[in-house]
Amino acid sequence: VHSCHNQDALDTEEMVSIACSVAKDKKIRKIVHNFQPDKIIYLGEEAELVGGMLNLDKSHQIVRVAGSGIEAIIKSSNPLKIISKYLLRKLYQNSKFIIAVSKNTEKLMANNEAYFKKEKIKMIYNGIDDNFLNKKKEFNRRKELGIKEDDFVLLTVGRLLPRKGQDFVKKALSKINQPNIKYLCVGEGRFEKVNNDLVRYFRVEYGRDWEAALEQHLYKESKKNVKKI
C-alpha cells in the first residue's frame, strides 16, 4: 500500500490525506477481503492511515516507518493530529513487525513505547540493488550539467522540506569550500521556490562569496527558529 500523494504534514494537507484515505478505505477493504494476501506491507504515512482504518487484526501486517512520520505526527502536540495518532496506533498494534530504516528511527520508536512495542521493532536499512552498484558509469549527464569526470558528485533525492536536511548540506559545503564537490539536489515540494530564490539572490548579491553568505543567513535563521521553539 503506497501513499497516493506526497504529504508535507501540514495540518490542512493531513486532513486532505485522511479524507483521501476514507475514500479509499471501502474499496481497499473489499480488495483485501477478496484477495486474501499472505502479507500486507505499508509504506508511507498515508498508507499507514489506511491501515489504521482497515483495522485488520488477523492479517500478517508489516509497517515500514520513517522517522519523519514520528516527528510530524506522533510527537506533535497539535490537537488536529489526534485522528492520525489514533489510526497509527491501531495499525502498529495490529502489525506483526514494524520496520525502522535507520538507527535514528529505531531510537525514536524506543522513546514512544505507547505506539511501538519493543518486540515488534526490526531494523532494516534501505537496500541498494547490486546491479545498480555494478553498472558501468555513464558520464553523459555530467557533461550536460557541466560536471567534470573527476568531480565528486553529492546527490540527495527527496522532497524539499526542512526536516529532510538539504539546508544542512549547503551549510556543510560552504564550510568545506571544495570546488570539485558538486551538489545535486533532486526533488520538489513547497520549499522549492524558497530554495531557488534564496540561492539566486545570494549569487547576485555576493558574487563569488555567495555560498559563505548563504551559510551565514541559514545559521541566523536556524537560531531564530530555536528561539521560537
Side-chain angles (χ1 to χ4, degrees), residues 24-207:
K24 286 174 173 285
D25 180 58
K26 187 175 181 180
K27 184 177 181 181
I28 294 176
R29 187 183 294 274
K30 185 177 180 181
I31 292 172
V32 171
H33 176 76
N34 292 337
F35 189 68
Q36 291 294 312
D38 295 317
K39 292 179 176 61
I40 303 176
I41 302 176
Y42 296 91
L43 305 172
E45 291 155 28
E46 188 186 88
E48 292 174 35
L49 294 176
V50 173
M53 291 177 186
L54 290 174
N55 195 24
L56 304 172
D57 57 349
K58 295 182 180 179
S59 298
H60 188 128
Q61 298 181 119
I62 300 172
V63 190
R64 181 265 195 193
V65 178
S68 58
I70 299 174
E71 294 282 1
I73 299 177
I74 293 176
K75 292 179 68 176
S76 174
S77 58
N78 190 327
L80 293 176
K81 308 278 187 180
I82 292 175
I83 298 175
S84 294
K85 289 181 178 182
Y86 171 73
L87 293 174
L88 293 184
R89 190 197 295 260
K90 279 177 65 177
L91 175 63
Y92 300 152
Q93 287 175 346
N94 292 334
S95 297
K96 186 168 184 178
F97 297 116
I98 302 173
I99 307 300
V101 297
S102 69
K103 289 183 178 180
N104 181 60
T105 304
E106 187 179 39
K107 185 177 179 181
L108 288 171
M109 289 180 180
N111 292 333
N112 290 274
E113 293 182 6
Y115 290 83
F116 306 102
K117 300 301 180 185
K118 186 177 180 181
E119 62 272 15
K120 292 185 177 184
I121 300 173
K122 306 292 180 183
M123 220 268 286
I124 302 176
Y125 291 113
N126 289 326
I128 300 178
D129 193 334
D130 287 341
N131 292 329
F132 176 78
L133 293 175
N134 298 325
K135 188 177 179 180
K136 184 180 178 181
K137 290 185 179 180
E138 298 178 5
F139 294 99
N140 292 335
R141 181 63 68 182
R142 287 188 179 225
K143 292 177 182 177
E144 292 175 14
L145 298 173
I147 299 173
K148 300 175 183 177
E149 287 191 14
D150 57 348
D151 282 339
F152 182 89
V153 179
L154 178 62
L155 171 69
T156 59
V157 181
R159 284 176 289 161
L160 298 178
L161 297 171
R163 69 172 185 258
K164 296 293 185 181
Q166 290 99 340
D167 56 328
F168 287 106
V169 177
K170 296 171 186 175
K171 289 162 68 175
L173 289 177
S174 67
K175 290 183 178 294
I176 296 171
N177 194 27
Q178 291 289 335
N180 67 315
I181 298 178
K182 308 300 181 186
Y183 174 41
L184 300 183
C185 181
V186 179
E188 58 183 19
R190 68 179 189 271
F191 283 86
E192 182 175 2
K193 189 175 186 302
V194 174
N195 275 270
N196 292 341
D197 289 348
L198 198 60
V199 171
R200 191 177 297 112
Y201 168 78
F202 277 89
R203 276 184 184 276
V204 173
E205 290 293 315
Y206 294 92

